[in-house]
Amino acid sequence: MMTDQPAKTASASAGTPARAKSFNATKHNGETPIIRQSAEVFAERAQNTQLGETAITISNFDARYGEFQALKNINLEIPEKSVTAFIGPSGCGKTTLLRWINRMNDIVPEARCSGKLTIRELDVLQPRLDVVELRRRVGIVFQKPNPFPKSIFENVAFGPRLHYKASRSELADLVEWALRKSALWDEVKDRLKQSALGLSGGQQQRLCIARAIAVGPEVLLMDEPCSALDPRSTLAVEDLIAELSKEYTIVIVTHNMQQAARASDSTAYLYEGELIESGPTHQVFTNPQNPETERYITGRLG
Amino acid sequence: MSVPLERVFILNAERRRELSRSAANRRRFSVAFVVFCSIVAALSLIVLGTLLYDIFAQGTGYIWRSSEGSFGERVSAFFGTWSHFLSSPPRQTASEAGIFPSMFGTIWVCAVCGLVALPLGVATAIYLEEFKPKQTWLRRVHGFVQLNITNLAGVPSVVYGIIGMTIFVSMFQSPGSSQTPVLEFGINGIYDQYESKGLRMLRVPVDSRDAPDTQLVDGMTVYDGQGKALELNLIPVGAPIPQDEELKRRTLVNVAGGPARSRYIDEAWYYVRIPFGRSVLAGGLTLMLVVLPIVIISAQEAIRAVPQALREAALGMGCTPWQVVRKVTLPASIPGIMTGNILAMSRAIGEAAPILMIAGVVYIKSAPGNLMDSFTVMPLQIYNWASDSHREFHDLAASGIIVLLAILLFFNASAVIIRQKFQKNLG
Amino acid sequence: MASASESLNVRNRSLQGLQEFWIKGLLWLSAGFSIAITVVIIVILFGEAIRFFADDSITFAEFFGSTKWTPTVGTTAESKSFGVWPLVCGTLVVTVIAIGIALPLGIVTAIFLSEYAPRKVRAFLKPALEILAGVPTVVYGFFALTFITPQLNWVHQLFFGEEGFAAFNSGAAGIAVGILCLPIITSLTEDALRAVPRSLREAAYGLGSTRFEVATRVVVPAALSGIVSAALLAIARTIGETMIVALAAGSTPNLTVDPRDGVQTMTGFMVQIAGGDFSNFGIEYLSMYAVAAVLFAMTFGLTLLGHRIRVRFREAY
Ligand SMILES: Nc1ncnc2c1ncn2[C@@H]1O[C@H](COP(=O)(O)OP(=O)(O)OP(=O)(O)O)[C@@H](O)[C@H]1O
Ligand SMILES: [Mg+2]
């Protein structure tokens, strides 16, 4: 798959600094996305990972849809300002867990949960919680890009308009910042007034990311953000994730083992609603404690 | 050239706090909005409740109040009045009036309407859904027909009323009228008709509609309403009227210029004439124009719901397009088509405006006997009563509405049942 | 043997082909019938309207310029006046009242049904709206006459100390037509709202929108064309509504916007002429066709526009 990238692209990016906590803002101008060979990145990451404090704590967490128990007794700690990947076979409950972190499942009538889920000191599951404020602090990006049928500008400005009484010029600055941050600015700066539905799938997904970060979240949840994208856009989004993880706590669901290995600092493996294994990515991938995990990972990696 | 980070207020905690909207206020507003929405939604329930209550109170209240005696007697009187209402013709006095002729008028008109509109509509729907042409220009014609049907569905029914009046009632103002038809077929006989002293109809056959008056002769053969031959007893003015009932029945007084006479046409049940005049046939056909687009559109939806895979399977087995329709599409979509048809017919039952134009405001004393009879339908009878200035007639109108709603309820309930059966079959 | 069966086969084929041909022809004829209806409507309405305008005493300028509508006054064409505005005005007053009631209520009810209503409430409310939509219009007319007008008078008495609504008035008729339109607007709007993909709602919730904000900033704008088309179709329906106005709005052509006064609408006039005993050949009879042509043109345009918008909006998703 992506292991055999054309040599040209690999060498074009060979000079860029390795991804590390300390690296400086990389110039993104859209035309030359930084594409690195995954094996190389994998090696780098193993050396550079230093996980921060815990941002999200999940303990004894159960979730159900009506009678069906989707998650059983999950205990997990998600470190701050890093990328955490949820992996596991289809239907194992990754999306469910992700959606409980910002209570998106409140709008699913039959969804219920129990246990404890805290973001720093905030008890996410308390019934009287202000979910509006929670979701402002915990943004989410969905599997399929879902821009509003509005202009590109309005899409990004949507969240800020909800939460802040910002002036037009402040909004414009914010939109530019968010679009630059999500590596989309150069592609869309001349057509901010045009409909977002006219963008390509990859651009739409990056727009959704821009839209999510424009409200200033602390945590960013991403449910298979690359599943609808081609390899090129995928790498652009992965780069973006790497860039964002300097400031945000990022949780990403993925089916792509290489992506998990490349783009995450820690990994949690779920199977049939249970958390089988979690830990630093290099550890889970190179030295899995549970044979189940190993079988899944190696099965995928071939 | 990127934005200086200090200008991005999201990154500036203080500025952010300044600009921030109160989440609590937003939430409160949202809750208030949801409550507001549910109240407004409840309004339609309230309106429906008020409407039904008002009509039931008005339509049954006066009957209940007018019945007397013990509770049991009142109940039986109550039902007695209802059955009288259902079986009597409309009268000048409200307490004796009933809805019988208009009920039968509705049945006749809707039968005509259904017999034409349903096959025609379903056939059109089949053509539009199953015989989509491939050539570009034919496809354009197809699209035009489709657009045309959606537009026809939006034409006000009163406009169809005018069209029906022009085409069917007066037949483009053709010279004839219902009394002097241009063409007619199915006449059993033409009679001069007299009312005897015993209050019986006496009839003497004549040759044609415009034949000269019959010269009555004492002792000639006449016929009564049942067609029984009698011997006429013609007595001069001033002569004593016989006491014998049998004789009185066939007695006419020979006043100057002959006894009061009317021309009676004995029409067969299959009697037709041109122009149709303000007749059942004209009404039914006009109503057909109103419901045809509805039938077509609902049948199209039902046919469209049949999975394409079924058709392809049949075509793959070598079926001709019509065989696909007959063996696959129609059987699969017939419940949906039926549901749509029933709903279209219930629309026809309730439709009054075009019928008002066709039938006019007339008092109809009996149920129609053939397609050329004048008629009225329930909604029209209700309209007549409701527009009467006497309040008692408003009560009658309410009673009529109860009957009408009951019939519609029956129709719609059967549509719902068919629909539900159908949905189960699919599942 | 083989050749015989082959020829039989061929005969069957051709027979079958013939049958297909006939059936297709019949189906084609039925479809053509609907075209014929349209043609006949246009020919009759506009043909008779032309005959009306061909009359020496009638001018286009009078019809569309004068504000006096007295077609049944006197016996000569000179004593009658044919200025269509009082009828159009009557229709518009009723329409404005009806749509003014039905559109906001219908949209809000549709928002409730598609966004907020628990399944049980929905299962209750939907059939109620369907029943409301299936009630014959003559029933609404009766309701307007015998219930709404007295209630309006009661309210009027409360505020002004006297009854102000005439026995026939455009206010009650407008309210009743509004009730009639409510289920139409609600169901068309609800369809439009439900067609908005769930993913857009999730996106809005994910950004921290309240339920109110999701509905008003995302769902309603995304469904706007559907709502506009619902409004247009409802307006067309209102303009063509007959029995309610015939019963409750009166039959005096009035150039007034006061909802307390009686008015005559275009449809009301048509019913009066056709149902009454005016001569079938008089000029007032022909004027009915001219009014019908105006009515037809209005509703035809509205329906066409409404469907255009609806179809385009369907393609957007
Ligand atoms: N709304 C729902 N109602 C009922 N059951 C649900 C619902 N959503 C998910 N489930 C069930 O919960 C389980 C977990 O679903 P979830 O979407 O979390 O899986 P996932 O790990 O994200 O799978 P995938 O990789 O395919 O996206 C599945 O068995 C699914 O069938
Ligand atoms: Mg998932």
Side-chain angles (χ1 to χ4, degrees):
Chain A
M1 294 205 286
M2 256 160 283
T3 36
D4 45 16
Q5 283 290 334
K8 188 165 152 273
T9 32
S11 62
S13 56
T16 50
R19 182 199 174 272
K21 285 290 162 205
S22 58
F23 89 61
N24 292 322
T26 319
K27 283 252 170 62
H28 291 273
N29 50 16
E31 285 129 41
T32 55
I34 304 152
I35 299 170
R36 287 159 295 171
Q37 215 165 0
S38 68
E40 190 183 321
V41 179
F42 192 72
E44 277 167 28
R45 188 177 281 280
Q47 294 158 16
N48 292 307
T49 313
Q50 326 145 346
L51 296 178
E53 283 173 40
T54 305
I56 306 171
T57 314
I58 303 168
S59 45
N60 302 328
F61 186 79
D62 287 344
R64 51 178 71 242
Y65 293 103
E67 292 299 295
F68 175 74
Q69 180 139 24
L71 291 173
K72 284 163 232 155
N73 194 26
I74 304 289
N75 289 288
L76 179 66
E77 292 186 346
I78 295 173
E80 182 183 58
K81 293 197 180 164
S82 68
V83 182
T84 302
F86 289 174
I87 59 171
S90 185
C92 68
K94 307 179 293 291
T95 301
T96 307
L97 184 56
L98 193 76
R99 285 168 62 97
W100 271 116
I101 296 176
N102 76 343
R103 296 263 301 261
M104 275 309 283
N105 267 342
D106 279 16
I107 60 176
V108 179
E110 67 273 13
R112 298 279 178 281
C113 73
S114 64
K116 209 159 164 54
L117 203 167
T118 54
I119 298 179
R120 298 251 168 66
E121 264 63 68
L122 179 72
D123 177 5
V124 171
L125 301 181
Q126 60 179 307
R128 299 192 54 82
L129 177 83
D130 185 351
V131 289
V132 165
E133 182 58 20
L134 172 72
R135 289 178 193 152
R136 194 195 59 65
R137 289 176 53 188
V138 184
I140 186 163
V141 175
F142 298 89
Q143 180 168 357
K144 267 192 6 215
N146 53 358
F148 299 122
K150 299 173 188 275
S151 71
I152 293 170
F153 182 92
E154 285 304 318
N155 261 279
V156 182
F158 184 90
R161 275 192 211 282
L162 293 177
H163 300 285
Y164 306 104
K165 297 183 282 261
S167 67
R168 176 91 202 168
S169 74
E170 273 176 311
L171 271 180
D173 288 340
L174 175 61
V175 168
E176 180 177 344
W177 172 80
L179 285 172
R180 278 186 191 280
K181 202 99 183 135
S182 52
L184 193 60
W185 176 253
D186 291 319
E187 288 155 72
V188 301
K189 63 175 180 242
D190 300 323
R191 45 172 178 155
L192 290 176
K193 293 236 151 48
Q194 289 174 24
S195 168
L197 299 178
L199 297 175
S200 77
Q203 288 171 327
Q204 287 188 0
Q205 192 61 298
R206 276 179 284 156
L207 180 68
C208 292
I209 295 173
R211 187 173 65 182
I213 60 178
V215 292
E218 298 149 29
V219 179
L220 200 53
L221 310 172
M222 296 184 170
D223 191 355
E224 300 183 42
C226 302
S227 68
L229 305 186
D230 69 353
R232 205 179 168 82
S233 311
T234 301
L235 287 173
V237 170
E238 277 177 25
D239 259 5
L240 184 57
I241 292 171
E243 166 76 21
L244 295 174
S245 71
K246 285 185 288 173
E247 289 148 56
Y248 302 96
T249 304
I250 295 179
V251 184
I252 172 172
V253 170
T254 179
H255 275 294
N256 185 330
M257 290 307 109
Q258 296 171 40
Q259 184 171 57
R262 269 197 310 264
S264 74
D265 302 301
S266 52
T267 299
Y269 171 60
L270 286 93
Y271 181 73
E272 290 188 350
E274 284 177 84
L275 181 67
I276 305 296
E277 179 161 356
S278 67
T281 299
H282 61 88
Q283 184 196 316
V284 172
F285 275 82
T286 54
N287 186 18
Q289 305 296 303
N290 194 308
E292 194 73 55
T293 318
E294 185 166 10
R295 221 176 317 138
Y296 182 68
I297 291 170
T298 50
R300 283 305 175 100
L301 285 175
Chain B
M1 268 280 287
S2 71
V3 235
L5 290 186
E6 63 273 13
R7 269 171 48 197
V8 179
F9 73 84
I10 282 288
L11 305 176
N12 179 338
E14 198 176 318
R15 184 80 186 124
R16 213 161 128 166
R17 210 170 310 118
E18 270 170 34
L19 292 178
S20 153
R21 290 178 200 274
S22 155
N25 280 351
R26 285 168 55 207
R27 211 180 43 222
R28 244 173 263 140
F29 192 84
S30 176
V31 169
F33 180 72
V34 175
V35 171
F36 169 72
C37 283
S38 28
I39 291 173
V40 168
L43 210 63
S44 52
L45 283 180
I46 295 171
V47 167
L48 180 62
T50 314
L51 178 81
L52 292 181
Y53 172 78
D54 178 56
I55 283 172
F56 272 84
Q58 209 170 338
T60 56
Y62 74 100
I63 302 180
W64 180 250
R65 261 176 269 120
S66 69
S67 47
E68 287 156 2
S70 71
F71 183 77
E73 283 166 0
R74 286 185 84 173
V75 169
S76 81
F78 180 80
F79 286 107
T81 315
W82 265 111
S83 73
H84 174 82
F85 179 73
L86 290 175
S87 58
S88 317
R91 296 228 171 80
Q92 301 295 331
T93 34
S95 58
E96 292 171 6
I99 201 169
F100 179 76
S102 55
M103 260 166 71
F104 272 80
T106 291
I107 293 173
W108 273 83
V109 169
C110 288
V112 171
C113 165
L115 283 177
V116 183
L118 301 186
L120 204 56
V122 174
T124 306
I126 291 174
Y127 178 75
L128 286 176
E129 287 301 315
E130 298 288 310
F131 292 87
K132 291 197 175 121
K134 286 173 199 75
Q135 300 95 316
T136 330
W137 73 271
L138 273 180
R139 274 227 299 278
R140 235 170 254 155
V141 172
H142 212 79
F144 179 72
V145 175
Q146 184 69 70
L147 181 67
N148 177 55
I149 286 165
T150 33
N151 273 318
L152 281 181
V155 172
S157 57
V158 68
V159 171
Y160 286 114
I162 284 202
I163 300 303
M165 208 171 58
T166 315
I167 305 179
F168 304 126
V169 175
S170 66
M171 300 235 158
F172 302 99
Q173 311 207 334
S174 74
S177 72
S178 45
Q179 270 73 50
T180 56
V182 181
L183 211 83
E184 57 186 339
F185 173 75
I187 290 191
N188 288 338
I190 304 172
Y191 302 90
D192 271 343
Q193 181 169 272
Y194 308 87
E195 198 179 35
S196 75
K197 284 292 137 191
L199 299 177
R200 290 298 155 97
M201 286 302 168
L202 298 182
R203 288 172 187 160
V204 183
V206 295
D207 294 337
S208 64
R209 279 177 181 272
D210 40 9
D213 294 2
T214 315
Q215 294 303 312
L216 292 176
V217 187
D218 188 29
M220 75 186 285
T221 310
V222 294
Y223 300 90
D224 71 358
Q226 275 73 49
K228 213 172 98 188
L230 301 169
E231 190 182 314
L232 179 65
N233 177 32
L234 195 64
I235 56 172
V237 185
I241 291 160
Q243 293 303 305
D244 175 39
E245 278 302 322
E246 200 278 329
L247 188 59
K248 200 168 151 189
R249 227 169 53 156
R250 48 191 176 90
T251 300
L252 286 178
V253 180
N254 198 5
V255 294
R261 179 197 68 96
S262 66
R263 196 141 278 180
Y264 169 77
I265 319 283
D266 183 7
E267 295 158 352
W269 61 267
Y270 52 83
Y271 172 66
V272 278
R273 64 154 187 264
I274 283 176
F276 295 160
R278 294 177 176 250
S279 65
V280 167
L281 186 60
L285 290 177
T286 306
L287 218 46
M288 177 274 289
L289 297 180
V290 177
V291 299
L292 184 63
I294 305 172
V295 175
I296 296 175
I297 289 171
S298 64
Q300 273 189 289
E301 271 164 17
I303 293 172
R304 226 176 285 150
V306 176
Q308 191 61 31
L310 285 184
R311 289 188 192 99
E312 277 162 12
L315 278 174
M317 278 155 53
C319 287
T320 62
W322 172 244
Q323 283 171 331
V324 173
V325 171
R326 220 188 48 197
K327 302 256 161 67
V328 178
T329 318
L330 268 188
S333 59
I334 209 77
I337 293 178
M338 291 272 287
T339 311
N341 284 354
I342 293 174
L343 292 178
M345 288 319 288
S346 69
R347 167 84 189 267
I349 293 173
E351 195 64 69
I355 302 290
L356 175 53
M357 309 201 85
I358 300 296
V361 184
V362 281
Y363 262 113
I364 303 292
K365 293 190 289 295
S366 58
N370 61 48
L371 287 177
M372 292 299 136
D373 260 351
S374 53
F375 71 103
T376 187
V377 293
M378 277 193 287
L380 197 52
Q381 184 64 61
I382 292 165
Y383 169 76
N384 285 344
W385 281 330
S387 50
D388 201 295
S389 52
H390 295 93
R391 269 223 50 138
E392 313 90 85
F393 284 100
H394 289 182
D395 294 341
L396 276 184
S399 301
I401 288 173
I402 294 175
V403 178
L404 183 62
L405 289 183
I407 292 174
L408 289 179
L409 187 70
F410 170 75
F411 263 73
N412 289 353
S414 45
V416 168
I417 289 169
I418 290 178
R419 188 165 60 192
Q420 251 151 23
K421 273 233 169 92
F422 173 53
Q423 275 168 351
K424 256 186 226 134
N425 282 352
L426 272 189
Chain C
M1 235 346 232
S3 81
S5 83
E6 234 163 58
S7 75
L8 194 73
N9 221 339
V10 169
R11 244 208 14 237
N12 273 350
R13 277 279 153 80
S14 74
L15 243 175
Q16 213 171 49
L18 200 67
Q19 191 197 5
E20 289 279 314
F21 180 80
W22 273 112
I23 287 169
K24 218 172 149 181
L26 277 179
L27 295 178
W28 188 87
L29 276 183
S30 346
F33 186 72
S34 67
I35 296 279
I37 295 177
T38 312
V39 172
V40 164
I41 292 177
I42 290 173
V43 166
I44 290 181
L45 290 189
F46 290 92
E48 299 290 287
I50 287 169
R51 272 181 57 200
F52 170 72
F53 284 115
D55 192 286
D56 293 337
S57 59
I58 311 291
T59 62
F60 235 71
E62 186 200 358
F63 191 74
F64 289 109
S66 159
T67 57
K68 245 179 80 193
W69 182 261
T70 54
T72 55
V73 172
T75 47
T76 59
E78 285 68 38
S79 66
K80 300 164 186 290
S81 179
F82 293 94
V84 80
W85 284 111
L87 297 188
V88 173
C89 170
T91 296
L92 287 185
V93 171
V94 171
T95 304
V96 165
I97 295 173
I99 297 297
I101 292 171
L103 195 61
L105 293 188
I107 291 176
V108 171
T109 308
I111 291 177
F112 177 74
L113 277 174
S114 98
E115 307 296 310
Y116 305 138
R119 209 169 290 157
K120 274 184 193 146
V121 176
R122 218 183 110 77
F124 203 63
L125 204 53
K126 279 291 273 186
L129 282 164
E130 269 168 32
I131 294 176
L132 219 46
V135 170
T137 56
V138 68
V139 178
Y140 286 117
F142 176 80
F143 186 63
L145 188 68
T146 63
F147 185 83
I148 300 178
T149 297
Q151 300 308 316
L152 284 176
N153 262 328
W154 182 81
V155 172
H156 197 271
Q157 177 118 41
L158 210 64
F159 283 99
F160 304 102
E162 55 171 8
E163 300 201 334
F165 283 85
F168 302 107
N169 59 79
S170 54
I175 293 174
V177 178
I179 297 174
L180 172 77
C181 286
L182 181 66
I184 300 172
I185 292 183
T186 304
S187 86
L188 288 176
T189 304
E190 200 207 337
D191 287 349
L193 295 178
R194 290 188 155 250
V196 174
R198 199 183 142 79
S199 65
L200 290 187
R201 294 186 179 85
E202 298 220 319
Y205 279 118
L207 289 167
S209 310
T210 61
R211 272 141 84 79
F212 166 73
E213 287 156 350
V214 172
T216 53
R217 297 196 186 195
V218 174
V219 182
V220 168
L224 199 60
S225 48
I227 298 173
V228 169
S229 115
L232 290 179
L233 295 179
I235 293 175
R237 180 75 200 266
T238 309
I239 291 178
E241 177 43 45
T242 309
M243 293 320 285
I244 297 177
V245 291
L247 268 172
S251 53
T252 40
N254 262 340
L255 194 68
T256 172
V257 292
D258 190 336
R260 294 173 299 185
D261 292 339
V263 293
Q264 186 167 47
T265 64
M266 295 191 278
T267 52
F269 170 71
M270 287 156 66
V271 163
Q272 184 194 5
I273 294 293
D277 33 29
F278 297 98
S279 96
N280 266 23
F281 303 96
I283 189 78
E284 67 273 9
Y285 194 77
L286 280 181
S287 76
M288 178 180 74
Y289 288 94
V291 172
V294 173
L295 178 70
F296 177 75
M298 286 167 91
T299 52
F300 199 80
L302 283 168
T303 337
L304 203 63
L305 193 63
H307 276 284
R308 274 281 146 80
I309 293 176
R310 223 157 98 95
V311 168
R312 184 161 302 169
F313 134 84
R314 262 204 215 119
E315 284 164 356
Y317 296 118

